[in-house]
Amino acid sequence: GAGVSQSPSNKVTEKGKDVELRCDPISGHTALYWYRQSLGQGLEFLIYFQGNSAPDKSGLPSDRFSAERTGGSVSTLTIQRTQQEDSAVYLCASSFDRPRATNYGYTFGSGTRLTVV
Amino acid sequence: AQKITQTQPGMFVQEKEAVTLDCTYDTSDPSYGLFWYKQPSSGEMIFLIYQGSYDQQNATEGRYSLNFQKARKSANLVISASQLGDSAMYFCAMREGPTGNQFYFGTGTSLTVIP
């Protein structure tokens, strides 16, 4: 597609429920990233995909968080047994293959605003 | 230590005036990239400008320029001739080395342009 698409744009869920957040990157972008933005905070790195593999999962805050990517395209971030502190905006970004130079910006989606009540 | 520090939580500027948003960074990697993003109320992160650590000249993109002071490890964003549509959150970010997987973001500066 023309841009990075995320769905849903808003999600309200009850504490303890599982949620799935979807990211559809720009066609041809092999790298995909998930970030979390809590209210009034900067972006917190969660996970990076190169193709379907995730060489860097260092930012996932707990084992309740997992992500997968299929077909080198769509990615799903799953949060199990949601807690109130999981409330945040979850942003996805994609780029071309990990660059040899550092002058590759990302293209971000508009995010999913997750509210756990 | 914080990789990216933005010390101005909020800034105000009169329409048509210039404004500088501060950013300092911390890295021991000689190769890095510095970025500024704009986040309007819609939530999307919009890429504004990039500065490479080896670039000799300050980056410019239209009304945006990056005041890069390598020795001070600062990368301030200058917006000239502010417009009402510039009101948004602005984030400074850094990517380390040629193989860095992630961006490090600051906490952002909220800019309000006053008519």
Side-chain angles (χ1 to χ4, degrees), chain B residues 54 67 83:
Chain B
Y54 295 120
N67 184 1
Q83 303 172 355

Side-chain angles (χ1 to χ4, degrees), chain A residues 38-76:
Chain A
S38 300
L39 187 63
Q41 300 296 312
L43 276 69
E44 173 190 6
F45 170 78
L46 297 178
I47 188 170
Y48 155 69
F49 284 94
Q50 182 59 42
N52 291 337
S53 64
D56 189 348
K57 306 178 184 180
S58 62
L60 294 178
S62 76
D63 59 7
R64 296 187 295 105
F65 287 72
S66 63
E68 66 174 12
R69 190 178 183 195
T70 55
S73 181
V74 173
S75 175
T76 303

Side-chain angles (χ1 to χ4, degrees), chain B residues 73-85:
Chain B
K73 293 190 174 179
S74 78
N76 298 341
L77 176 70
V78 180
I79 306 174
S80 62
S82 297
Q83 303 172 355
L84 295 178

